[in-house]
Each structure stands twice: as C-alpha cells, then as structure tokens.
Amino acid sequence: MTASPTLDLALRLSRVRANTPLIHNITNHVAMNIMANVLLAIGASPAMAHAREEAAEFAAMADALTINIGTLSPHWVDAMEDAARAALAAGTPWVLDPVAVGATAYRREVGARLLALSPSVIRGNASEILALADLSDQANQLSSGRGVDSTAASHSAQDAAILLARHSGAVVAVTGEVDLVTDGRQIAQIEGGHALMPRVTALGCSLTGVVGAWVAETDTGSTRDIFLATTAALASYAVAGELAAQTTKGPGSFSVAFLDKLYALDGDTLTQHARLEITDAP
C-alpha cells in the first residue's frame, strides 16, 4: 500500500502543529494521563473536564470533543450527553469511543443514547463496532464483543462499519492489525503500528484524542473531509508505532519511545512511511 494522492498527510499534520487545537476529552480514569501526553506530543492542547456542571460550556469552546465510555457512571453519562449536545449546537466535531459497548446492558444503553447524538466519528475495535452497528438496527446479529480487547479482526467488521456509517452519518474507524476507515462511500485501509501497542494501556483510547485533533483542523467540516482527516490521524499513529518499535524491546520502553516518535514526527517522515489505500465501498 502507498499513501493516497488525494490525502496530503504532511499538510494535515502541519495544521495541527500550527494551530494547537483544544481537544475536550471526557475519557476514562485509566486513559487520562497517557491521552494528555499523546495529545501534547502531537501538538494539540488537551483538556480533561468531565464534571456535568461545566461539560457543555467546555465542549462549546473546544475545537473538538471526544467521549470515551470506558469507566461509566450516571453523572459522567449526563455530562457526556450535555457535552455532545453542546458540541452539536456549536458546530464542533465530536468523536465517540464506545469502549466495550457490547459487554453489559448499561453500556449498550449508553452507547445507543450517544449514537443518537450524531457523532462526527466513531472509533473502536472490531468487536465494539460490531456491537454498535447491532445497536443501530442496521446489522442484525453481528455483535460478538465482550470487552475492551477486540475478539474480532478489523476486516471482519467492514460490512458493519459501512452500514453504521451510512445509518449514523458518522465516519467509522475500526482499529486493529490493519485499520479501516469508512464514510459509507469509501474505505481507507491503513497498515503499520506494532504488536506492542495493545500491550500499553490506553494507547487506543489516546488515538481517539488524536482523531479529534485532526478532525478539528478540517477545511470544510464535510463528511468527506472528516473521513480524510480520520484516515490521516490513524496513519500518523501507525507510523509512530512502527518507528518506536525499531528501538524498543518491551511495553515499558515502547511507551516512552512512542511519545518521542509522535513528538518528532514530521511531514516528510509521515508521507514516506505511511501505508494506506483508499477505495470505493462495496
């Protein structure tokens, strides 16, 4: 695979670095620290504000909002819904990370409620996308998810991702050994990363913040532009992971090297190492 000529990876990276978008993240307890560090390394400005009393106000002033349902509680869910509504009212893009959405009845309920609030992007592993597609009533009997770790390969969720994108109007990103991104009309496949990445807690959750940073810097805010921005975000993550693994031997050293590679990533390196392909959806 080679980088698509329709996607200027270097330009999209430079926009994030130049504009330092403010990304409001309502994420889980485990992910907050590493997610903030990842966003700082890539050039964005993270905010971790989850109190219902300020969530809507924060979302309205941010350049993008991300919502991760990893550690749910009723008060946090109220804040998530308030923030999503405020983002919609302000025209602010928001990204849904439906962590383990198929695992419990409560997660399925919350996932369905947030899906109804029109996220710009949905990012999850294959099991999560299968489960969320099942909740959308567009992919019956597809769900096999059990938790945070995917029990299915990303390619197995391709049909569900396309249906979910078409039904919800969101761009859907399925992350795994090969990442998939679709807007229901086209599919991007991104290779790269490394097997150590799932061994470092919250790197997946942190990717959701990076998607938010890229989506915040779109030209038009159109679904097509959001699709390309999401694809670029995943490509940058994959390249940083691949490069970090060249000098590390385990998850501890990989975590440090990954932050360093994100921080050092430039347009030429990203363009040279990115492996992706964009095709029409079936």
Side-chain angles (χ1 to χ4, degrees), residues 139-196:
N140 293 329
Q141 304 303 318
L142 286 174
S143 176
S144 62
R146 61 183 175 87
V148 175
D149 298 323
S150 180
T151 60
S154 57
H155 65 80
S156 70
Q158 177 175 299
D159 290 346
I162 293 169
L163 288 169
L164 180 58
R166 290 172 179 171
H167 178 66
S168 67
V171 169
V172 178
V174 190
T175 51
E177 289 186 13
V178 177
D179 297 334
L180 302 176
V181 181
T182 183
D183 60 358
R185 292 174 292 276
Q186 290 193 301
I187 297 175
Q189 297 186 63
I190 304 105
E191 293 184 354
H194 193 268
L196 281 172

Side-chain angles (χ1 to χ4, degrees), residues 1-259:
M1 293 182 180
T2 57
S4 168
T6 65
L7 180 54
D8 191 332
L9 296 170
L11 176 61
R12 290 184 183 272
L13 175 62
S14 69
R15 286 176 181 166
V16 174
R17 293 272 166 80
N19 296 328
T20 317
L22 173 62
I23 312 303
H24 175 201
N25 308 285
I26 304 179
T27 191
N28 64 74
H29 294 291
V30 179
M32 288 184 187
N33 182 266
I34 182 63
M35 188 177 189
N37 284 332
V38 163
L39 282 168
L40 289 169
I42 205 65
S45 177
M48 308 312 197
H50 58 264
R52 187 179 189 186
E53 290 77 5
E54 66 172 357
E57 185 178 359
F58 231 113
M61 74 173 72
D63 295 302
L65 165 71
T66 77
I67 293 177
N68 174 304
I69 68 169
T71 51
L72 289 176
S73 68
H75 193 74
W76 275 34
V77 172
D78 290 341
M80 291 172 182
E81 292 182 297
D82 288 353
R85 291 190 185 97
L88 286 174
T92 300
W94 78 275
V95 185
L96 172 61
D97 190 341
V99 175
V101 68
T104 67
Y106 185 47
R107 287 177 184 275
R108 291 190 292 273
E109 175 196 343
V110 172
R113 284 159 56 183
L114 291 171
L115 183 62
L117 293 174
S118 302
S120 308
V121 182
I122 301 164
R123 190 218 67 83
N125 63 39
S127 293
E128 291 159 355
I129 297 304
L130 286 163
L132 202 60
D134 192 49
L135 291 176
S136 75
D137 292 328
Q138 295 297 300
N140 293 329
Q141 304 303 318
L142 286 174
S143 176
S144 62
R146 61 183 175 87
V148 175
D149 298 323
S150 180
T151 60
S154 57
H155 65 80
S156 70
Q158 177 175 299
D159 290 346
I162 293 169
L163 288 169
L164 180 58
R166 290 172 179 171
H167 178 66
S168 67
V171 169
V172 178
V174 190
T175 51
E177 289 186 13
V178 177
D179 297 334
L180 302 176
V181 181
T182 183
D183 60 358
R185 292 174 292 276
Q186 290 193 301
I187 297 175
Q189 297 186 63
I190 304 105
E191 293 184 354
H194 193 268
L196 281 172
M197 295 179 79
R199 299 290 183 178
V200 180
T201 190
L203 280 192
C205 298
S206 300
L207 173 56
T208 297
V210 173
V211 171
W214 255 252
V215 169
E217 296 301 326
T218 57
D219 281 329
T220 64
S222 67
T223 301
R224 168 68 176 172
D225 207 3
I226 290 171
F227 165 75
L228 293 173
T230 302
T231 299
L234 268 61
S236 71
Y237 223 66
V239 168
E242 197 166 54
L243 295 176
Q246 293 176 359
T247 59
T248 58
K249 297 181 180 180
S253 57
F254 180 86
S255 179
V256 174
F258 181 70
L259 284 177

